Every structure is written in structure tokens, then in C-alpha cells.
Amino acid sequence: MEKHLARQKNSFDFQKAIIIPKNVLAKQCNENKIINNLFITDIGYYRKALNHYAQRDNGADQHILIYCIEGKGNVTFKNTDYHIEAGNFIIIPKKTAHIYQADPSLPWTIYWFHFLGTGADQLVASLQHYKAYAGFNEERNLLFDAIYNRLERGFSRENIVSANLSLHHYIAEIIYTDKNLANDKIIAPDKVEEVIDFMRNNIEKMLSLKELALAVYLSPSYLSAIFKKKTGTSPIDYFNQLKIQKTTQYLLFTNLRINEIAQKIGIKDPYYFSRLFSSIMGTSPKQYRDNRFG
């Protein structure tokens, strides 16, 4: 069962949508290795969408992303009710029964995508929360307009590839936005982001796990657990990666000697420094500098 209801004609202030034909998806997306891991099937924008309502008892064939910039709405799936307000996004997994609707007194304004691909499946499966706060970002809205305008000009290979590569950027900007920088709402500090900031501000030091944990008032074991869950690596390995990232900048853009650079990132032993650099970058500091690009 699938229902889309607009209880009054012209109940949206403004609406636009593009549904990409199935034959275009088959030829231009499924068979294109550049974009077939994550691609758009439908895209739209509804402003003050009074009476907006959808019920899909068998779910949609695609994952759905709804990003609300104004007003309110409600989404229900997997026995959970999600109250959506301005700044929230929600992702509904494909083949999942759901209902969503705009708030009757303060209807939502939303950007939305339906999307598919093996990478899309993995992305949705990896989400810790289907709903989160993404804040407000005018550049993000302009990116949506660029994607939409591309597709509005037709389904040439160039337009399809360009729009879908931009979709990767858009979804990353929504899902992985820096919650500490999101404006217009106060958010509890993210301890992992706090410790990364601490690392960056102390790149010239050799810090232990205990010292990193102390800086954000956590136990070392708890910091290790939440850090690895979010970043996929340990705090010390991440700190070393930041040190080597800084090293590459020194190698590319300064004439400092290699042992001087090692000192600047807090490593006194030049042999350890060289081994660490090589293990992360796959080449020695000298070779990296000799083969600098640009």
C-alpha cells in the first residue's frame, strides 16, 4: 500500500521534483562504475508543505533522505516516531515501512532525495542514528540547487555524473557535518572532536593516551572506545596521522631540514620519525620531498 495525499489543491507554497526514468538509471547509473555505488533516483524540494503525507507499507525501493530547514514534521518507521524540526535530517532505509507527514500547524520545508547503490546500502547500515541535527548552511542549499539544475537540463552522461558526484558531497555535508560548528542551536560537546582539537593544538608534543584522556576528562579506556568507534582508529594512531599530515606540509612548503621538522612535531629520534613517516605515507620523508608535486 502506498499513499501520497494532498488534502487541498496547491497546498504547498512551492514544490519541485525530478523523478529519473528507470531506463536512465539502468544505463547511466547502474552500469557506470564512477557513480554506481551511490546515485540519485528522485530529488525534490517542498516549501511549507501543508498536508504533505506519505504512507508506504512496504517501504520505498530506495533510501530516502529528508532535510528540514523550516517548520516541523513527523516520520514513523521501525516502531519509532521521529519528530523533525528545522535543522534536522532523517534517513529512511529502503524496503522499510514508513509514514511521514508535515505538521498541520507549522508544515515543514524540506529538501529530499531518494538514492541507491551498494555504497548507499553500506552508508545507511553504518548509521548510528537515522535522525540527527545538521544545522543550517547556505552553501549546502546552493549545492542542492546545483544538483537539481544539472538534472533539470536533462539526463546526459555528463549531467548524471556531475549531479551524482555532487550528491556524495551533499550527503557527507549533511551526515558528517561538524556538530560543534553547526550554528543556530546549542549542542552538547563531542568529546572525540574535543580531543582531536587538543591534538591539533599540541602537535609539537608527544602525548600519551592518559594525557589525551585527561584533557577531555575521560578515562583512557573510555576515550579509546568512543574514539575508535567514531574514527576507526586509536587516539595515538590518529595523533600520529595528524603529525605526519603536518610533516607533509613542512616538506612541501618549507626548506626546513628533516630533523628540524621532526622536532616541530615533537619527535626527537630521527630514525623513529623516518619509520613513522614511511609506515603512514609509504615513502621516506626525503623521497616525499624530492617527488613533491605542483
Side-chain angles (χ1 to χ4, degrees):
M1 176 182 179
E2 180 170 336
K3 296 179 181 178
H4 295 272
L5 304 179
R7 297 182 182 90
Q8 301 173 3
K9 288 186 177 180
N10 303 316
S11 56
F12 299 0
D13 270 8
F14 179 81
Q15 56 183 314
K16 61 181 182 179
I18 295 172
I19 314 302
I20 301 176
K22 289 184 178 179
N23 66 331
V24 173
L25 295 174
K27 294 180 180 179
Q28 300 273 34
C29 298
N30 286 321
E31 296 179 6
N32 189 325
K33 293 183 179 180
I34 299 173
I35 59 171
N36 64 4
N37 67 319
L38 194 157
F39 58 88
I40 301 163
T41 65
D42 314 84
I43 179 176
Y45 168 78
Y46 296 158
R47 186 171 66 205
K48 296 182 179 179
L50 182 63
N51 301 318
H52 182 211
Y53 175 92
Q55 177 180 339
R56 299 184 180 94
D57 291 346
N58 297 314
D61 291 333
Q62 313 87 18
H63 307 292
I64 302 172
L65 166 63
I66 297 173
Y67 168 47
C68 176
I69 62 167
E70 184 181 10
K72 301 177 182 179
N74 289 283
V75 180
T76 302
F77 63 94
K78 293 188 175 182
N79 299 314
T80 303
D81 294 323
Y82 297 93
H83 180 61
I84 307 301
E85 297 181 339
N88 289 147
F89 76 87
I90 191 164
I91 291 181
I92 306 171
K94 69 180 183 181
K95 307 294 185 182
T96 302
H98 62 265
I99 298 173
Y100 55 77
Q101 58 187 333
D103 184 89
S105 59
L106 195 63
W108 61 15
T109 294
I110 57 172
Y111 294 93
W112 56 267
F113 290 95
H114 289 215
F115 60 101
L116 279 175
T118 54
D121 295 342
Q122 294 173 8
L123 174 69
V124 174
S126 73
L127 294 175
Q128 296 181 24
H129 305 286
Y130 293 115
K131 169 196 167 184
Y133 183 75
F136 303 91
N137 186 321
E138 184 58 30
E139 290 183 3
R140 182 190 301 152
N141 298 340
L142 292 174
L143 180 58
F144 176 94
D145 291 338
I147 295 170
Y148 190 94
N149 292 340
R150 267 287 192 175
L151 295 174
E152 197 172 36
R153 293 182 64 82
F155 306 126
S156 68
R157 183 181 184 279
E158 180 181 274
N159 288 342
I160 289 289
V161 171
S162 175
N164 281 293
L165 289 178
S166 295
L167 174 68
H168 287 67
H169 182 190
Y170 186 91
I171 287 182
E173 228 292 321
I174 285 278
I175 295 178
Y176 302 116
T177 186
D178 186 342
K179 303 301 188 297
N180 289 320
L181 297 180
N183 52 20
D184 297 306
K185 190 163 185 173
I186 299 173
I187 300 172
D190 184 320
K191 290 295 186 180
V192 172
E193 294 299 329
E194 278 189 27
V195 81
I196 290 173
D197 286 339
F198 183 75
M199 291 173 182
R200 294 177 68 244
N201 292 331
N202 292 276
I203 204 76
E204 77 286 355
K205 298 177 182 177
M206 291 295 288
L207 298 173
S208 66
L209 175 61
K210 184 177 180 180
E211 289 170 316
L212 293 173
L214 185 63
V216 292
Y217 307 103
L218 296 176
S219 70
S221 60
Y222 184 66
L223 174 62
S224 289
I226 64 171
F227 198 97
K228 190 163 188 178
K229 185 174 182 179
K230 180 167 183 175
T231 68
T233 190
S234 71
I236 295 301
D237 285 346
Y238 199 95
F239 193 27
N240 284 334
Q241 289 170 10
L242 290 179
K243 286 177 177 290
I244 297 307
Q245 180 189 81
K246 190 69 174 178
T247 296
T248 62
Q249 295 167 1
Y250 283 129
L251 290 170
L252 290 172
F253 305 123
T254 77
N255 292 319
L256 290 171
R257 294 193 299 271
I258 290 173
N259 66 327
E260 292 175 322
I261 295 173
Q263 295 283 337
K264 281 189 167 290
I265 64 163
I267 299 177
K268 296 180 179 180
D269 183 343
Y271 298 104
Y272 171 70
F273 169 71
S274 183
R275 289 197 305 272
L276 179 64
F277 188 94
S278 297
S279 69
I280 292 175
M281 299 303 299
T283 186
S284 71
K286 183 178 185 305
Q287 289 171 327
Y288 188 90
R289 170 172 271 172
D290 290 344
N291 295 321
R292 72 175 72 186
F293 55 89

